[in-house]
Amino acid sequence: MRFVHDTKSKGTIPLVRTKLRSAIILVNEHDEVALIRREKENLLYYVFPGGGVEFGHTAEETAVREAFEELGVHVELEGVAAHVAFNGELNPYYWARMTGGEFGTGT
């Protein structure tokens, strides 16, 4: 989470909590893209592997950590593919290359 100044508020706490996220785009040798399957409230959808940036960590560190946690792979980031607007943030999505681990063993 990070805090940004809220210029519209006249209260005693002029900060608004936001959550920056980052994700990876990982394509294998068969041009298949790694996605995470999610089901919430009878809705099925897919997202790129990623997560929230924790205090003291960078967006890049988060992308690498989430690749391992969600997919079971070690990755090297190869630049920003896009910045995606979500919850008032511009979240970086990184091109990634697998450097180790075993795909599909994440939690």
Side-chain angles (χ1 to χ4, degrees):
M1 272 179 261
R2 70 185 181 110
F3 293 89
V4 294
H5 184 69
D6 177 5
T7 57
K8 296 178 185 172
S9 175
K10 295 186 183 206
T12 58
I13 303 174
L15 299 176
V16 176
R17 232 170 71 173
T18 64
K19 182 79 169 183
L20 181 67
R21 303 180 63 77
S22 68
I24 65 161
I25 301 171
L26 180 65
V27 181
N28 70 12
E29 64 276 2
H30 304 291
D31 287 333
E32 298 167 321
V33 178
L35 296 172
I36 304 296
R37 179 184 166 134
R38 298 277 192 240
E39 293 183 51
K40 288 186 181 177
E41 300 173 9
N42 297 321
L43 180 64
L44 171 65
Y45 60 99
Y46 295 85
V47 297
F48 289 100
V53 178
E54 297 173 357
F55 180 76
H57 294 264
T58 66
E60 293 87 352
E61 291 169 333
T62 298
V64 170
R65 181 192 74 235
E66 292 291 335
F68 184 74
E69 288 178 3
E70 294 185 342
L71 301 175
V73 299
H74 300 283
V75 298
E76 182 176 304
L77 303 181
E78 297 185 327
V80 175
H83 284 91
V84 177
F86 182 72
N87 284 341
E89 295 283 353
L90 284 178
N91 303 285
Y93 281 54
Y94 298 95
W95 293 113
R97 180 176 55 84
M98 186 173 153
T99 59
E102 186 178 341
F103 188 86
T105 60
T107 54

